[in-house]
Amino acid sequence: MTNMNRTVVVLGATGQQGGSVAAALRADGWAVRAIVRDPSGHRARSLSAAGVETVRGDLGDPDSLRAAFSGAHGVFSVQPNSGQAGAGVTNEDEVRFGTAVADIAERSRVAHLVYSSAVTAGSATGVDHLDTKSRIEAHVRTLDIAGTIIRPATFMELLVTPEVGLDRGHLSLLMRPNQTMQFIAVCDIGRVAAAVFGSPDRYVGRTVEIAGDALTGNALAGHLTRAAGRTIGYSRLSATQLAQGEVLCKLAALVDDGRLAGNAQLDALRAEFPFLLRFDRWLAGPGAGLLEEALRAKDAGIAPR
Ligand SMILES: NC(=O)c1ccc[n+]([C@@H]2O[C@H](COP(=O)([O-])OP(=O)(O)OC[C@H]3O[C@@H](n4cnc5c(N)ncnc54)[C@H](OP(=O)(O)O)[C@@H]3O)[C@@H](O)[C@H]2O)c1
């Protein structure tokens, strides 16, 4: 059977990860069914225009998941997280959504479930919105379903959002200037997921931490400076900023002990997924528009959207 005859259901296809997975699966010839809350919205319409079937559904509505999973070969599972601004979900919502997707995929006899988790999963971090992923992973492993768990590193896209201070010509993140952290381009999450669906014999039963680059804060600023054509400095979030929130302090500690910084085996990953973008290649390609937008916002004295 060719990929074209088989359907993969994609959650979150109007968002970053699901959108990249839907695009990569289509590029590999799969039929893609996206569960969307608003089929008339512009993102859902863009998916339809790209050949993706869109069906109305909601992570909180098990009947809609059951209907969408019927007859599908695979399911890509990702959930919104309480740590994301504006996501409007609690930690318990995320766990309920993630476990429901896996349970219904099992009962629907889906052949392959790919769950997108995060690098911090696998040990208790003490940060509730990170530990949700460990809880969902643990549940997935109890089920009688062929599954693969991918654990994406921090998204490169986060490096060109206003929150990090780029609009002021300065980048501030959780790691120290000479401390390394791993990152992945969102488009590569899709390409990895498509490769996983394409080679189940190789990936079923595996948990794979994925990243495309490992960079210090100073190295990030160097790449951004070259790409922007103007100086962009780097510093760790100040002690005052870190002291403002217990969670931020814990996140900084998780960078320091390596769990949030990431421990993907980059050489082995690159051999397996040769397309993985390094940060400079991402800045020159998929990230160019985002960087330009962030810099234009600085010129105009406004924050990017
Ligand atoms: N940022 C990072 O560096 C990073 C790294 C690793 C993992 N993560 C994890 O990535 C996940 C978020 O992925 P993302 O960035 O791709 O998300 P995103 O761009 O914010 O998109 C969220 C998607 O979920 C959909 N959605 C939200 N609530 C829904 C519901 N009740 N039913 C059905 N669909 C719903 C949204 O659809 P609508 O269009 O209807 O809103 C949208 O398609 C989080 O769990 C986060 O912890 C993030």
Side-chain angles (χ1 to χ4, degrees):
M1 200 188 274
T2 65
N3 289 345
M4 216 176 299
N5 300 117
R6 290 182 295 177
T7 299
V8 177
V9 176
V10 176
L11 272 308
T14 53
Q16 299 190 88
Q17 296 197 55
S20 82
V21 172
L25 286 169
R26 288 295 298 141
D28 282 1
W30 293 87
V32 176
R33 185 179 299 152
I35 296 179
V36 297
R37 292 191 288 183
D38 177 12
S40 64
H42 77 276
R43 290 195 174 124
R45 283 189 278 116
S46 302
L47 288 166
S48 300
V52 172
E53 177 193 1
T54 56
V55 295
R56 188 189 294 276
D58 194 300
L59 284 160
D61 174 5
D63 285 343
S64 70
L65 300 180
R66 265 187 286 278
F69 292 2
S70 172
H73 164 84
V75 169
F76 173 78
S77 172
V78 66
Q79 283 73 46
N81 179 271
S82 74
Q84 296 173 268
V89 293
T90 65
N91 298 321
E92 294 313 311
D93 287 336
E94 182 186 357
V95 174
R96 185 166 50 88
F97 291 164
T99 56
V101 168
D103 285 343
I104 295 167
E106 180 199 41
R107 279 184 227 127
S108 306
R109 301 193 183 286
V110 163
H112 195 176
L113 171 72
V114 177
Y115 168 56
S116 183
S117 174
V119 286
T120 46
S123 67
T125 65
V127 178
D128 292 342
H129 79 261
L130 298 181
D131 290 339
T132 49
K133 305 280 191 292
S134 295
R135 293 166 64 192
I136 298 169
E137 283 195 10
H139 184 78
V140 168
R141 293 196 183 92
T142 65
L143 300 177
D144 182 21
I145 187 168
T148 305
I149 294 168
I150 57 173
R151 292 178 175 169
T154 302
F155 303 166
M156 290 180 186
E157 280 72 5
L158 262 180
L159 302 170
V160 288
T161 57
E163 292 79 14
V164 295
L166 204 58
D167 52 326
R168 298 184 298 279
H170 194 86
L171 180 65
S172 284
L173 295 175
L174 288 167
M175 75 270 209
R176 299 172 203 283
N178 288 315
Q179 193 174 19
T180 300
M181 187 152 168
Q182 297 187 338
F183 299 91
I184 188 161
V186 167
C187 62
D188 283 345
I189 300 174
R191 295 195 277 193
V192 167
V196 165
F197 279 116
S199 299
D201 293 349
R202 197 163 173 190
Y203 294 109
V204 163
R206 282 179 63 186
T207 296
V208 190
E209 188 170 331
I210 54 173
D213 211 345
L215 294 155
T216 63
N218 285 339
L220 280 176
H223 285 305
L224 286 164
T225 295
R226 281 186 288 282
R230 66 177 74 161
T231 301
I232 292 176
Y234 181 82
S235 61
R236 187 181 212 182
L237 290 171
S238 68
T240 318
Q241 286 168 310
L242 290 177
Q244 274 166 8
E246 190 194 344
V247 170
L248 215 48
C249 270
K250 286 184 180 173
L251 293 176
L254 287 168
V255 170
D256 287 345
D257 74 16
R259 284 185 283 172
L260 186 54
N263 293 292
Q265 305 300 310
L266 289 190
D267 289 342
L269 276 175
R270 209 166 291 290
E272 204 165 352
F273 308 112
F275 50 78
L276 284 170
L277 290 171
R278 292 187 193 279
F279 187 53
D280 54 350
R281 296 281 307 280
W282 179 81
L283 278 173
L290 293 174
L291 176 64
E292 202 181 304
E293 198 180 333
L295 295 169
R296 249 203 328 266
K298 175 178 188 272
D299 288 342
I302 53 162
R305 69 173 163 75

